[in-house]
């Protein structure tokens, strides 16, 4: 997959993309990520990319010319095509399903809005999709773009060390993920559940499933409604008083 990001603040991406799973995925050739400074396409000596809003009001608005020019130039850098996604609090809500949908494609172009907003013509005539990462307003689309990239990249085949781990994560089958333990077996008197030390894989699987069910029933009962529970699952949940 190829991901291009258009931003006024390319420096913000340096740390997060040079560490951990994203860096490993880039090094392994699973994904190419290119961050571009929109100002490169801004005209004039001062490379101004924003301007006052028509009709008045607070803040500055991202101008259409440099953003269209940047997107059009960057699209030409590779033959693959994919959605042009504007990160904005008025977009559709990002979640695991959207991450899977985007991970199935070959290419993403992410546009980070900034300041008080972006010119409406970018929304209407350039973006093919608009994504929000939640009901809060951030200072710009950079952090949301990082969230989207992280969630998408970890779904790409070969991005994670163990091929199964993306599937086992929370939300993949709509159950929340059970707690994890590592050594030592006892820490400050708190012990690791016996079954995890037993070496009985089928017992461990059963224990994990039940913990997943319980956690989901307690914290996100809305998710449980979307998944087909077995009779045994239901009976067990009832016994726990959460069925
Ligand atoms: N830009 C500012 N806030 C945002 C949000 N919540 N999601 C996506 N882009 C944004």
């Amino acid at each position: 997959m190829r991901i291009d990001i258009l931003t006024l603040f390319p420096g913000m991406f340096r740390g997060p993309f040079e560490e951990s799973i994203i860096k490993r995925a880039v090094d392994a050739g699973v994904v190419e990520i290119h961050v571009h400074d929109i100002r490169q396409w801004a005209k004039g000596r001062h490379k101004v990319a924003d301007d006052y809003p028509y009709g008045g009001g607070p803040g500055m608005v991202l101008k259409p010319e440099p953003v269209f020019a940047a997107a059009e130039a960057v699209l030409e850098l590779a033959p693959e095509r994919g959605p042009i996604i504007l990160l904005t609090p008025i977009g559709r809500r990002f979640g695991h399903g959207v991450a899977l949908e985007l991970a199935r494609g070959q290419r993403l172009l992410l546009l980070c809005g900034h300041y008080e907003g972006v010119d409406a013509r970018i929304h209407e005539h350039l973006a093919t999709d608009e994504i929000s990462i939640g009901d809060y307003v951030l200072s710009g689309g950079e952090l949301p773009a990082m969230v989207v990239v992280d969630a998408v990249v970890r779904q790409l085949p070969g991005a994670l060390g163990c091929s199964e781990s993306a599937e086992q994560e929370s939300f993949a089958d709509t159950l929340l993920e059970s707690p994890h333990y590592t050594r030592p077996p006892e820490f400050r008197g708190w012990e690791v559940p016996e079954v995890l030390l037993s070496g009985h894989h089928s017992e461990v699987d059963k224990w994990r499933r039940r913990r997943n069910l319980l956690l989901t029933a307690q914290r996100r009962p809305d998710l449980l409604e979307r998944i087909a529970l077995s009779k045994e699952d239901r009976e067990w949940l009832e016994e726990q008083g959460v069925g």
Side-chain angles (χ1 to χ4, degrees):
M1 168 175 270
R2 176 178 171 122
I3 302 177
D4 290 284
I5 299 168
L6 302 187
T7 172
L8 290 173
F9 301 99
M12 284 180 73
F13 293 86
R14 247 165 249 139
F17 287 0
E18 283 165 19
E19 305 276 349
S20 188
I21 286 174
I22 296 189
K23 177 174 168 22
R24 242 187 26 217
V26 169
D27 290 347
V30 166
V31 62
E32 258 180 62
I33 304 176
H34 302 273
V35 180
H36 311 271
D37 187 347
I38 294 170
R39 265 193 201 91
Q40 253 185 277
W41 286 273
K43 295 261 162 56
R45 203 153 52 93
H46 299 293
K47 303 267 179 206
V48 174
D50 57 338
D51 208 338
Y52 294 99
Y54 276 127
M60 304 290 272
V61 174
L62 197 53
K63 289 162 70 63
E65 304 98 310
V67 178
F68 272 76
E72 284 158 6
V74 162
L75 279 177
E76 290 312 310
L77 297 177
E80 295 86 7
R81 288 293 168 257
I84 301 176
I85 301 170
L86 179 64
L87 285 312
T88 165
I90 65 167
R92 66 178 169 135
R93 177 71 70 87
F94 188 65
H96 186 68
V98 180
L100 288 178
E101 173 199 317
L102 299 180
R104 281 194 288 271
Q106 299 249 292
R107 181 138 190 218
L108 297 180
L109 180 57
L110 302 178
L111 302 178
C112 305
H114 225 272
Y115 304 128
E116 304 306 304
V118 306
D119 187 279
R121 288 158 293 189
I122 297 169
H123 285 269
E124 288 165 19
H125 304 294
L126 182 61
T128 61
D129 195 358
E130 300 187 339
I131 285 180
S132 163
I133 62 161
D135 288 343
Y136 38 83
V137 179
L138 298 163
S139 315
E142 283 74 15
L143 290 170
M146 291 177 212
V147 167
V148 169
V149 168
D150 193 292
V152 169
V153 166
R154 57 187 298 112
Q155 297 304 324
L156 299 176
L160 301 181
C162 162
S163 63
E164 283 181 335
S165 41
E167 284 155 32
Q168 280 179 13
E169 283 172 333
S170 301
F171 302 109
D173 59 1
T174 77
L175 283 184
L176 299 182
E177 203 182 350
S178 58
H180 303 278
Y181 291 90
T182 186
R183 278 178 285 198
E186 188 201 311
F187 173 68
R188 296 187 178 176
W190 300 305
E191 288 176 359
V192 174
E194 192 69 42
V195 59
L196 296 180
L197 310 174
S198 70
H200 288 297
H201 294 300
S202 62
E203 285 300 307
V204 169
D205 287 347
K206 187 167 153 191
W207 180 86
R208 285 198 172 132
R209 170 129 190 116
R210 289 183 163 182
R211 292 298 298 252
N212 291 353
L213 281 167
L214 190 58
L215 189 69
T216 311
Q218 288 167 335
R219 303 222 177 145
R220 294 291 306 275
D222 57 305
L223 295 178
L224 267 195
E225 285 161 24
R226 289 198 242 147
I227 138 164
L229 297 183
S230 67
K231 189 160 168 275
E232 193 193 336
D233 288 340
R234 284 186 197 289
E235 283 171 1
W236 186 77
L237 279 174
E238 259 164 48
E239 277 169 35
Q240 307 310 305
V242 289

